[in-house]
Amino acid sequence: MKEPMKTKILIVDDEPDICKALRYLLEMEGYAITCAYNGEEALTILKTESFDMILTDLKMGKTDGMKVLEKVKETIPDTPVVIMTAFGSIESAVEAMKRGATDYVVKPFLNEEIKLTVRRIIEQKKILGRIMNENIALKQQISQRMACRDFVANSDSMIRIVETLEKVIPTKSNILLLGDSGTGKGLMAELVHCNSPRRDKPFICINCSAIPEGLLESELFGYRKGAFTGAISDKIGLIALAHQGTLFLDEIGDMPMNLQVKLLKVLETSEVYPLGDTKPKLVDIRVIAATNVDIENRIKEGRFREDLYWRLNVIEIKIPPLRERKEDIEMLCNHFIKKLAQDHHKDIKGIDRDALALFIDYSWPGNVRELRNTIERSIVLSEGPLLTVTDLPDKFRKDDSIKDLPPLKAYLGDYEKNLLLQIYNSHDKNKEETARALGIDLATLYRKFKKYGIDSE
């Protein structure tokens, strides 16, 4: 039986004794350890080998831990990096975490502290890997169930919509799609059509708010030659063109009242009268209507017919805005990057964690359409293998970091206090040994104790 592969860890430190001690400690935990004795050697090893985790010293020679971190984040961004630093260099370690380090440990460290840190990060990576695999499997499952272009979903709300559509698609019931502009109502209509028994028949789309009222009627219903000035030949209307297929009426809430009456008659009788013709044409159509306005409010205002509303609203699908389904953002980003990078002939593999975090925090008033446009703009301007914060529009790059400083400072204060207590107690509350273990003098230790209210009597 084939043995499972060991977790591989790269240790980078220019002090051989530390490398040797860490190798022994972590090999006893069952990890496969490789040591590099400077940053240059580490980067050379990383060109040919992959690792589950990197543990690197911060202060080294020409290529220090920060440079190792930057190279790892540039080339293998999913590999966790833990920074090892002396007690007096915590600020540098915090800067490293801002640049993508997963965590840091302070020298001199306790064996248990190192083992717990490594174990925690490896477990986190495994969990993230499982989630990613589940997301990929889910995406493949949905793609198989809903074979339609550009449909990407991961959130519970969108999966519930897919489950509803699976029941509705085989029927000819009319569907009303509700949702903000840019949420993907047009894509949803295409999804319904291309998975339905009508997939080989026409899919006719018209935006009711984009065509002037006088032209909309002739576009929808068609006309006979001579029906009005300029009608020099017969024209088949879009309703007739959609025969045996699907008619998608986008922005139905903006359809003029007089055309609502004519559309209602088509839905009631399955007959369409071209302008200037007294003989109806029989039509077999499925209507999918969409709007971003409050139709029920329009009915109360007398601007939309209630009987037409109930004809269209056999099945109602509410598509939530992107801000309410943020679980979809990362998957949508990866989907758009893959597609648009290819379209623009750019070798861009993905988006880094900081940029993605900004995307997830953003409210996306323009929804998926705004996300797609932002990704395309960033791809055009990017010069690296990953989209980064510097590639994003200015609205994403406003410096909001100051608001994060108090909790970060508090977190570091708690960490320092807990570390002091841990080492102080582990040395039987011997102040001299505690200071020696921390690499500081007694005066500094007393100041720390006073700062955090630690009883050293």
Side-chain angles (χ1 to χ4, degrees):
M1 184 175 178
K2 188 175 180 181
E3 292 186 5
M5 291 183 62
K6 290 185 176 182
T7 298
K8 296 174 62 179
I9 299 175
L10 175 64
I11 297 171
V12 189
D13 200 305
D14 56 3
E15 295 186 47
D17 288 343
I18 290 181
C19 284
K20 183 178 178 181
L22 286 173
R23 178 197 286 274
Y24 176 78
L25 178 67
L26 296 177
E27 283 183 342
M28 292 294 290
E29 293 292 298
Y31 303 116
I33 304 300
T34 300
C35 287
Y37 298 101
N38 54 60
E40 296 89 336
E41 184 181 357
L43 297 181
T44 300
I45 291 172
L46 287 170
K47 289 178 181 179
T48 57
E49 286 189 67
S50 60
F51 293 88
D52 298 289
M53 176 180 168
I54 298 170
L55 191 61
T56 180
D57 190 26
L58 182 63
K59 299 293 184 182
M60 294 187 287
K62 180 179 178 182
T63 304
D64 61 10
M66 201 72 80
K67 290 182 180 177
V68 172
L69 170 66
E70 289 173 357
K71 192 65 177 178
V72 170
K73 292 294 107 179
E74 179 184 328
T75 56
I76 41 175
D78 292 332
T79 301
V81 178
V82 174
I83 297 292
M84 298 183 290
T85 184
F87 191 81
S89 302
I90 289 181
E91 289 185 3
S92 298
V94 172
E95 178 62 28
M97 291 186 70
K98 288 181 180 179
R99 298 189 191 185
T102 306
D103 204 345
Y104 69 91
V105 291
V106 179
K107 293 181 177 179
F109 36 72
L110 301 175
N111 290 350
E112 285 303 315
E113 179 189 2
I114 286 290
K115 290 193 289 186
L116 287 172
T117 299
V118 171
R119 192 178 305 144
R120 172 175 54 81
I121 291 171
I122 293 298
E123 284 303 313
Q124 286 176 349
K125 185 179 181 185
K126 288 179 180 177
I127 291 170
L128 289 173
R130 283 197 296 270
I131 292 172
M132 186 175 295
N133 289 335
E134 288 169 3
N135 286 345
I136 292 171
L138 180 60
K139 180 181 176 182
Q140 291 172 342
Q141 181 184 3
I142 291 177
S143 297
Q144 290 165 0
R145 288 158 60 182
M146 296 293 168
C148 191
R149 67 172 182 86
D150 290 349
F151 184 76
V152 176
N154 185 42
S155 59
D156 290 343
S157 57
M158 293 301 289
I159 291 171
R160 285 195 296 271
I161 287 175
V162 168
E163 291 170 347
T164 300
L165 289 178
E166 285 183 309
K167 302 172 185 177
V168 175
I169 283 173
T171 72
K172 63 176 293 183
S173 298
N174 294 334
I175 299 173
L176 179 61
L177 302 174
L178 304 176
D180 294 348
S181 179
T183 51
K185 298 185 292 295
L187 176 60
M188 193 69 71
E190 287 187 64
L191 182 151
V192 171
H193 174 76
C194 69
N195 285 278
S196 75
R198 297 169 178 261
R199 66 177 67 88
D200 297 325
K201 302 300 180 181
F203 176 77
I204 303 298
C205 174
I206 186 167
N207 188 317
C208 300
S209 67
I211 301 175
E213 181 178 344
L215 292 178
L216 183 59
E217 182 175 8
S218 61
E219 286 294 318
L220 279 173
F221 297 93
Y223 51 80
R224 291 297 302 273
K225 179 180 178 180
F228 52 85
T229 302
I232 59 176
S233 62
D234 291 351
K235 176 181 174 63
I236 300 175
L238 296 177
I239 295 175
L241 284 175
H243 179 57
Q244 297 184 327
T246 303
L247 177 67
F248 176 46
L249 299 172
D250 199 8
E251 304 303 344
I252 188 69
D254 295 323
M255 177 177 278
M257 287 292 286
N258 66 311
L259 296 188
Q260 292 179 33
V261 176
K262 296 191 71 173
L263 176 61
L264 176 63
K265 187 173 182 180
V266 172
L267 298 179
E268 290 175 339
T269 65
S270 297
E271 295 178 343
V272 60
Y273 284 83
L275 297 177
D277 200 341
T278 57
K279 295 181 180 180
K281 291 181 179 293
L282 288 174
V283 289
D284 170 20
I285 58 172
R286 179 186 212 166
V287 175
I288 302 176
T291 183
N292 61 6
V293 301
D294 187 337
I295 287 286
E296 293 186 12
N297 192 49
R298 291 277 171 103
I299 292 171
K300 292 176 183 177
E301 295 171 350
R303 298 168 60 192
F304 201 88
R305 294 183 62 94
E306 186 172 8
D307 46 5
L308 176 59
Y309 171 72
W310 290 117
R311 279 283 179 178
L312 296 171
N313 191 17
V314 178
I315 304 295
E316 181 180 282
I317 302 290
K318 293 182 179 179
I319 305 175
L322 190 56
R323 64 181 176 274
E324 293 179 7
R325 49 185 175 103
K326 293 193 172 185
E327 306 97 311
D328 291 338
I329 290 177
E330 182 171 6
M331 189 176 283
L332 285 165
C333 284
N334 292 331
H335 170 76
F336 289 138
I337 289 170
K338 182 178 180 180
K339 182 179 186 300
L340 296 171
Q342 184 177 4
D343 291 346
H344 290 282
H345 307 290
K346 301 290 285 284
D347 187 21
I348 296 175
K349 306 300 184 185
I351 181 169
D352 74 10
R353 293 287 111 184
D354 290 339
L356 180 61
L358 291 178
F359 275 9
I360 291 172
D361 286 341
Y362 183 59
S363 61
W364 297 107
N367 293 292
V368 179
R369 184 183 296 125
E370 183 184 3
L371 173 62
R372 186 189 189 282
N373 291 347
T374 302
I375 291 288
E376 183 168 13
R377 175 197 181 278
S378 302
I379 284 173
V380 170
L381 297 178
S382 177
E383 296 180 353
L386 295 174
L387 296 186
T388 67
V389 174
T390 56
D391 300 319
L392 305 184
D394 289 342
K395 62 186 176 185
F396 291 97
R397 291 191 280 121
K398 291 177 181 177
D399 187 11
D400 294 326
S401 59
I402 294 176
K403 66 183 181 184
D404 293 326
L405 288 178
L408 179 61
K409 187 175 181 180
Y411 170 81
L412 291 175
D414 288 342
Y415 180 89
E416 188 177 45
K417 179 179 179 180
N418 291 334
L419 182 63
L420 285 168
L421 285 170
Q422 180 184 358
I423 296 178
Y424 184 47
N425 291 329
S426 68
H427 287 83
D428 298 322
K429 297 188 176 182
N430 184 304
K431 291 183 282 295
E432 289 79 9
E433 290 185 10
T434 299
R436 192 178 303 113
L438 291 170
I440 59 177
D441 56 37
L442 270 175
T444 301
L445 182 67
Y446 279 115
R447 283 198 300 271
K448 298 287 185 185
F449 279 176
K450 183 177 180 181
K451 176 181 177 182
Y452 295 116
I454 297 173
D455 184 6
S456 61
E457 296 302 325

